[in-house]
Amino acid sequence: MKNITLAVLLATSLVPAGAQVKKQLQISGKVQILNPGTLSKYNMVWLKKGPGPNAPTVDSVPVKADGSFSFKLTVTKPGIYQLDILKWQTTAFWADQDVTVVARGYDTAQYQRKNSGFVEVTSLSQGTRLINMALYNRYLDETLKDDLLDEGFAAQKRRSVDSSWYTYYRKQMLYRKVEQQGEARERKLIAASGSHPATVYLLATMNAKNDPQYILTQLDKLLAANPTLEDAVNVKKDIVTQIRKEQQLQKGSMAPEIAYASPDNSITKLSSFKGKYVIVDFWASWCGPCRKSIPKLKELYAAHKAQGFEILSISVDKDNDAWRRAMSEEQMPWSQVISPNADKTLSDFMIQGIPTMFLLDKEGRIVEKFTGYSSNLEQLIKDKLQ
């Protein structure tokens, strides 16, 4: 017995005081539908470390023909990691236990969109379950908002024969109510978490412009309970930077200059549209709501082009071929460019979701910003061009 005890003590003494113990996690999953044809090069899963859209990629694995994938993740301390699955869905987990993932993969709908299906993440980790519950709630809200957007288009189309439906739809502001209820639900979830460090992901991916002070307060609480939580420190810095950018994008401010490539590879500058009212439309080939709004933009363009009105569509596609195919399918008769760095563009213009549209005046100043196509945009343009 003495010899065994001595051996244990000697083994323990070989571990330096304060040393971090490495833990290896198994990350595995199944993708239901793989990318076809030219998109098959994206049949991969990318692992990113940290919250937010700009988290760095630290590993990647190919998805097998049967849709399965797996890899090992070695961590010295728990933290936020994200998975980018086939460039279609993203999800996140708290890295302290193994995780198993089930994702839809390729979107087969007529109007394809990023994060087109919920990613089920199973784990014994309390933090991962917390994140997955929040993402499921967001997915349900987005599905409902898509339905409301379709209803809004239908009500607007029948406005001439059923104005009461359209008036009711506008007055109820149902789209915004869904957003508000989702925000309230997520705050309750954060409050119930007991300052679990995984809530940093929820805070990092909230719409900071709605209530930045709430997010900053919650981050301070997290740091008080978890002083070494590096993700919270970085998110707080990002929020402060976002607040500064938001101030620069207020109504009446000059829109940031862009100089992006057109389909013929010439450079188009936003400042070249001065002297005209212009809609700057941020979109992507994979964005269903973006594609649905194009017919309305065509009507608007045809009605007001002669009055000094223009549209500049800025694609945030990361696949140049997909962008060109979408332009060919949609036949948009106005100027088109593609961002050379989609993440930076979305960050510079404080865009949380697409389509996002800015209406600029003849001097290039911001008149209004719209997330999603809105009939208010139509009326505003009519008023400005009178």
Side-chain angles (χ1 to χ4, degrees):
M1 179 64 71
K2 290 181 179 178
N3 290 339
I4 295 175
T5 302
L6 179 60
V8 171
L9 289 173
L10 286 172
T12 304
S13 67
L14 295 176
V15 180
Q20 293 179 322
V21 179
K22 293 183 178 180
K23 182 176 183 179
Q24 192 172 68
L25 306 181
Q26 177 73 29
I27 314 300
S28 58
K30 185 82 172 182
V31 180
Q32 295 168 339
I33 308 172
L34 297 183
N35 284 318
T38 58
L39 294 179
S40 61
K41 61 184 178 181
Y42 296 117
N43 286 334
M44 303 275 295
V45 175
W46 291 265
L47 177 69
K48 299 185 177 185
K49 187 178 188 303
N54 299 320
T57 299
V58 294
D59 200 359
S60 63
V61 292
V63 178
K64 296 179 181 178
D66 65 356
S68 64
F69 68 89
S70 67
F71 52 89
K72 300 287 187 180
L73 170 62
T74 302
V75 297
T76 55
K77 60 181 179 179
I80 296 292
Y81 284 82
Q82 298 183 71
L83 296 175
D84 182 349
I85 303 168
L86 276 66
K87 297 298 179 183
W88 283 109
Q89 287 95 40
T90 57
T91 193
F93 61 93
W94 181 249
D96 62 346
Q97 297 284 346
D98 296 345
V99 299
T100 303
V101 178
V102 177
R104 176 179 179 179
Y106 178 66
D107 187 354
T108 58
Q110 179 180 1
Y111 293 106
Q112 297 172 329
R113 56 175 290 174
K114 185 76 171 178
N115 286 323
S116 55
F118 174 64
V119 179
E120 185 75 49
V121 181
T122 305
S123 176
L124 295 176
S125 167
Q126 179 185 353
T128 296
R129 292 199 297 267
L130 173 70
I131 292 170
N132 205 231
M133 182 182 296
L135 292 179
Y136 183 62
N137 287 336
R138 292 182 186 182
Y139 167 71
L140 293 179
D141 287 346
E142 288 301 319
T143 301
L144 181 54
K145 287 193 290 185
D146 282 348
D147 291 341
L148 289 173
L149 188 63
D150 286 341
E151 182 181 353
F153 282 137
Q156 187 177 30
K157 189 174 182 179
R158 290 183 53 82
R159 178 166 48 173
S160 60
V161 295
D162 188 0
S163 60
S164 60
W165 180 22
Y166 179 71
T167 301
Y168 173 82
Y169 178 86
R170 289 191 61 187
K171 286 184 176 180
Q172 290 298 305
M173 298 183 67
L174 299 176
Y175 195 96
R176 179 56 187 148
K177 284 182 179 178
V178 172
E179 291 182 332
Q180 291 171 335
Q181 290 173 359
E183 291 167 4
R185 190 185 307 115
E186 199 150 296
R187 290 190 185 200
K188 286 293 185 183
L189 191 60
I190 290 171
S193 73
S195 294
H196 192 290
T199 57
V200 69
Y201 177 78
L202 278 61
L203 295 166
T205 52
M206 279 184 169
N207 189 342
K209 72 176 183 178
N210 288 344
D211 191 350
Q213 193 54 54
Y214 166 77
I215 299 176
L216 291 174
T217 299
Q218 295 304 314
L219 288 170
D220 286 339
K221 289 181 180 179
L222 267 184
L223 286 169
N226 310 274
T228 61
L229 186 55
E230 184 180 352
D231 284 341
V233 174
N234 294 333
V235 171
K236 185 175 180 180
K237 289 179 181 178
D238 289 344
I239 296 296
V240 172
T241 300
Q242 288 180 31
I243 292 172
R244 185 165 58 250
K245 287 181 179 179
E246 187 70 27
Q247 291 171 343
Q248 295 171 347
L249 292 170
Q250 295 293 321
K251 295 179 186 179
S253 300
M254 292 295 297
E257 175 68 298
I258 63 99
Y260 294 162
S262 301
D264 63 1
N265 293 319
S266 63
I267 299 299
T268 297
K269 292 185 177 181
L270 181 56
S271 56
S272 67
F273 290 85
K274 281 189 176 181
K276 297 181 179 181
Y277 278 92
V278 58
I279 289 177
V280 184
D281 171 35
F282 293 88
W283 76 296
S285 63
W286 44 259
C287 168
C290 300
R291 305 284 291 263
K292 289 179 182 179
S293 70
I294 290 172
K296 300 303 296 182
L297 286 174
K298 285 183 177 180
E299 292 177 10
L300 203 59
Y301 189 68
H304 300 291
K305 184 179 186 301
Q307 297 172 274
F309 166 68
E310 279 294 340
I311 299 175
L312 173 64
S313 285
I314 300 177
S315 169
V316 291
D317 276 286
K318 295 182 180 180
D319 184 326
N320 197 283
D321 291 339
W323 171 55
R324 292 180 181 277
R325 282 196 302 273
M327 285 191 297
S328 176
E329 291 166 359
E330 299 293 352
Q331 292 294 304
M332 295 169 281
W334 52 80
S335 299
Q336 306 284 328
V337 296
I338 187 168
S339 166
N341 186 329
D343 293 334
K344 184 177 185 304
T345 295
L346 294 172
S347 175
D348 287 347
F349 284 86
M350 292 293 293
I351 295 172
Q352 301 294 327
I354 54 175
T356 288
M357 303 176 192
F358 287 85
L359 176 61
L360 308 185
D361 67 14
K362 294 181 179 181
E363 299 300 319
R365 298 185 184 277
I366 297 170
V367 177
E368 189 60 88
K369 176 182 178 180
F370 297 88
T371 301
Y373 190 87
S374 170
S375 58
N376 293 337
L377 175 60
E378 297 178 13
Q379 190 59 51
L380 190 55
I381 290 172
K382 291 176 183 178
D383 293 342
K384 295 296 182 182
L385 293 176
Q386 282 181 348

